[in-house]
Amino acid sequence: MSTKVTQRKLQPVLEDPRFRIRPLQQVASACTGALITACFMTPLDVVKTRLQAQQSTANKCFLYCNGLMDHLCPCDPTMPQLKPENRLNGTIDAFVKIARNEGVGSLWSGLSPTLVSALPSTIVYFVAYEQFKMHALEFHYKYLAEVKGSPRGREIPFHIPLLSGVSARVCAVTFVSPIELIRTKMQSQKMSHAEMISTIRAVLKTQGFFGLFRGLPPTILRDVPFSGIYWTCYENIKSFFGVMEPTFGFSFMAGAISGSLAATITTPFDVVKTHEQIEFGEKVLFTDKPVSNVSTLNIRKRLWTIYRLSGIRGLFAGLGPRLLKVAPACAIMISTFEYSKAFFYHYNVQRHNEMLLIANTKRNGV
């Protein structure tokens, strides 16, 4: 009870515009979270990619995600078959053999391009969410005071994190969609700037301008509900326990729970997105002769096709591995983000107090 009372008293202070987290501080918090999340999740990505690649015998591609972003990768049919003693048999075995044969550092191969690609999306997403939430709360409190004449409530209304999360995700995925297309092609082979421009022209010629946004509708359909559910759950968990300034441990657990619930509900859309991205990669990106007749089935038809062929199990294929990635990624990201925000909040308070002290000293002529 005393904790909840303390948190209630903290609310006006935490929302004081003088101490509010600045946009650049939000950017720094998002960058910190993305960096730490990528460092923890990249070894899992490397292991999963190796396991998938050794199972492929055709010139196809596969998709994996580290919780920050998706990666579409080609499989090289000319790659020699692994010797039995070097073949990877499961996750633990892969960790051991990769570290022993290639060095521990190889478990973090690909970290740099992941950060370069993931940071813009993460920054746009988290900063946009904070800004949308802040302005929505200000409008809500103003409405309560002027229209209803009631004092501001302690809890954040249900619809604010929902709408803020949805809006932030739409901004993020739309912003990075063309970047992701270019990055995916560059990952498939070494390319000069001239070759990269030629590839963009080929996509524009065969797919049109909106070809640069291929996969955006299923991405939005998967990530937008995910974000709405995630932020609504997270903010409601905080409100339920009366937490205004969460500790690292609290935000870690709340982030894992919220991420798991959101990931479970949106898995069918993740399956659809994976099918469409792989199809686009095989017919457009990882081929010397891009085709223009890529299937354009709408989301509902794709869901029905998967259900007809594989049933409910097909719609929720990969749920287990997805939870193993999304839950820790969400937990690490949000706890780091919240911890960084708390750091900058107390820094702002300290700076404000120092400025007041200096002003008082000058006024008193000391």
Side-chain angles (χ1 to χ4, degrees), residues 196-208:
M196 182 183 69
I197 294 174
S198 176
T199 298
I200 296 173
R201 288 176 178 172
V203 172
L204 289 172
K205 182 178 179 180
T206 58
Q207 301 292 316

Side-chain angles (χ1 to χ4, degrees), residues 1-40:
M1 180 62 70
S2 60
T3 302
K4 290 190 175 183
V5 172
T6 303
Q7 294 293 345
R8 289 180 187 175
K9 293 180 179 179
L10 274 175
Q11 182 178 7
V13 179
L14 291 172
E15 294 173 356
D16 193 320
R18 296 174 299 174
F19 314 136
R20 185 175 291 159
I21 311 299
R22 312 291 187 263
L24 284 179
Q25 293 173 335
Q26 293 172 352
V27 169
S29 299
C31 287
T32 302
L35 176 63
I36 294 177
T37 302
C39 287
F40 273 95

Side-chain angles (χ1 to χ4, degrees), residues 266-308:
T266 58
T267 291
F269 302 122
D270 183 59
V271 173
V272 169
K273 181 176 184 289
T274 300
H275 278 245
E276 182 160 318
Q277 282 189 319
I278 290 177
E279 180 181 357
F280 185 66
E282 292 172 359
K283 294 185 177 180
V284 177
L285 293 181
F286 304 129
T287 178
D288 296 329
K289 297 179 180 180
V291 300
S292 58
N293 60 338
V294 181
S295 175
T296 56
L297 289 176
N298 61 37
I299 304 300
R300 185 180 64 181
K301 288 183 179 180
R302 284 187 179 274
L303 285 170
W304 171 247
T305 300
I306 295 171
Y307 174 76
R308 189 180 59 198

Side-chain angles (χ1 to χ4, degrees), residues 232-243 250 254 257-258:
T232 302
C233 290
Y234 181 74
E235 297 289 358
N236 275 273
I237 291 174
K238 286 170 60 178
S239 295
F240 179 80
F241 288 98
V243 175
F250 180 91
I257 294 170
S258 302

Side-chain angles (χ1 to χ4, degrees), residues 139-251:
F139 178 82
H140 174 73
Y141 293 145
K142 185 177 180 181
Y143 170 79
L144 288 180
E146 296 182 358
V147 179
K148 290 194 172 183
S150 58
R152 56 199 293 170
R154 178 176 61 88
E155 298 179 356
I156 296 179
F158 178 86
H159 66 279
I160 288 182
L162 175 65
L163 295 178
S164 299
V166 165
S167 302
R169 180 58 75 179
V170 170
C171 293
V173 297
T174 303
F175 175 77
V176 302
S177 186
I179 300 175
E180 287 300 293
L181 188 70
I182 297 170
R183 177 191 60 81
T184 299
K185 181 63 177 177
M186 292 183 69
Q187 281 185 332
S188 68
Q189 61 190 75
K190 292 183 178 180
M191 300 177 65
S192 64
H193 290 290
E195 291 172 330
M196 182 183 69
I197 294 174
S198 176
T199 298
I200 296 173
R201 288 176 178 172
V203 172
L204 289 172
K205 182 178 179 180
T206 58
Q207 301 292 316
F209 173 74
F210 290 103
L212 295 175
F213 295 87
R214 181 74 183 187
L216 181 59
T219 300
I220 288 178
L221 195 58
R222 178 198 67 176
D223 291 353
V224 166
F226 179 95
S227 297
I229 296 168
Y230 172 79
W231 286 112
T232 302
C233 290
Y234 181 74
E235 297 289 358
N236 275 273
I237 291 174
K238 286 170 60 178
S239 295
F240 179 80
F241 288 98
V243 175
M244 292 299 301
E245 189 177 6
T247 62
F248 185 90
F250 180 91
S251 55

